[in-house]
Amino acid sequence: MKIYRTLILTALLLPAIAYAVLSQPVDVSNEVLRYRHNPQANAIFGRALSDNPELTSRIRSRLYFVMGETAFYGKQYLASIHAYSRAISLNPTAAAFNNRGMAFLNIGELDAARGDYAAAVQLNAWDVHAWVNLGNLYIKLKQYDLAIDCLNHAISVGDQRATTYVSRGNAYQWKDDSQAALKDYNTAIGLAPSAIAAHIDKAQILLVSGQLDDAQAELNRAFKLDPGNTDIKIASALLLKKKHKFVEAIDIYTSILKVTPTNVRVLEGRGQALEATGNWSSAIADYSSAIKLDPTNDLLLRLRGLAYEARHDNAAAIADFTEATRVAPTTARSYLLLSRALVSTGQSQQSLDMLASAIKLIPNSVSLRQERAFTFEGRGDYASAIDEYQSILRAKSDDETTRRYLADDETELGRYADAAREYEFVSRANPDDGELLFGRAKLNVYTGNLQQADADLSDWQRLYREKKLDSSDQRRYYVAIWRHIIALKLGTDDQRALSAQANRLDADLWPYPILALYMGNSTIAKVMSVVEQSGNDRNERLCEANAYLGEWLLARGSISDAHYDFTQANASCPAAFIEKELATWELQRNRMGEPSGGTHYSTSIERN
């Protein structure tokens, strides 16, 4: 009773009351119903939790607010939500909405939290805490543009905390705007040099961009601030993976797991490092442990699915990719991996049906429509693939990649004028696109513009020498082959140039044996012997060998033998192989008759 009268007598001293209640918090440790049976609660609110008419609604709201804080700090989030709700019903304030939103967030009620944060900033546009909380929630929801807008508001109304800049940097980083992210991390470090998160996140940006030494320096700064920080260790392990020091990375992850065996990020990181060493079983075990801890993490499901694929367990891979689409139905990546897994197991129609359903869920996804087009191409249905590409272009006419894919398929169907227009569009925007140059070179071969075709392929090789193309691009072998085919059709001697090109290539890799034949350093029998010893790659290499041997024989006047090779390539090459396209074009162009048989090399041993 004494407490109750004191509150009435000091009704105008709200800060003092608040501190007094916080210093002696009301015990609401379990259920809301316990309020009725708690002496302190009864003293403040009455035995039936009714509002005492002797207190104003503003005071009663403040008292409930204090109880909400006390419950929140005691991690009694349901009790906290109840108290803040009573406070809001009596006197809605931005602070009460913001704090209740934090309690909702802690029990996983994200929509309710978002609604409360939004209500807070509606009541008080200067509430930087609500703006930041709303921004961080949008990051969690992967709505990065909205997150950036909220954090911009917080900064514009005076929030100059380093943590706010780190949050906005994270949103930019997830949005793939590394420059903006780096700028925010640097600002955060300028405001608070001891902001460890800013140093670590900056190091992550530097890692992704390949600036490994700078990333190491940033991690060293963070380490001096907090040598035992787990996030620093995780980032250091990531740096080691980038340097291909996978065993050392695994050691760091393992040391962390000895202390915190349920750290999902560490299990994920060690799984990836184990994959890199070829230890698929252990990688799968780590992913499985992480998935048990975080079963709705679609990234973990995809990673385990890819590991299963590498171990040729396609059924398990498909199951994981399918589950990933269930837990994150608006994430396109899971559908793409599922599609490819289905296609690889001969279920292309199921892939097409699944992608059609996915497009309904994510109608603006370019990647899903492109994947559907790829699946049509794999079935040899270029007309349907073209329809998909045209659907993309109706919504996004400046998509250069899609236009190039469209041109490639129009070339496949002999729609050369249409293809030329699409290639021209791409060329104006990006004349040094290696894929463009190779595709347009094929088109120019088929339309008789051989000098222009050779010029395009020469430009491709220049870009490769200048390291403007992927150094591992196997197309460099095929560019050399196609340049020789063009020389054969022009009747020019390119042996010196061909030898110079071949000298830059690895003679132990396919399709170098074709180049060796073209240079006069091998025989058809040797080429076919390499093909026969190719294991799982035999059929694809046989396809290529048939097409390119056909060109070699055609140039030498061996029409019958050339027809045999082109016919074999046309019949057996996968639909998406350029060699099938080449063989089909040669058969149509030359209107070759049936082979007469009895050629000088067409033995069953060589052909097999």
Side-chain angles (χ1 to χ4, degrees), residues 46-67:
R47 294 194 61 80
L49 271 181
S50 60
D51 290 327
N52 191 307
E54 296 183 47
L55 296 176
T56 67
S57 60
R58 186 167 179 268
I59 293 174
R60 295 197 301 272
S61 175
R62 179 59 180 165
L63 292 171
Y64 276 114
F65 184 97
V66 170
M67 290 189 71

Side-chain angles (χ1 to χ4, degrees), residues 446-462:
Y446 299 151
T447 56
N449 298 319
L450 298 177
Q451 285 85 357
Q452 183 57 52
D454 190 62
D456 279 341
L457 296 178
S458 177
D459 282 343
W460 192 100
Q461 291 176 327
R462 172 183 57 78

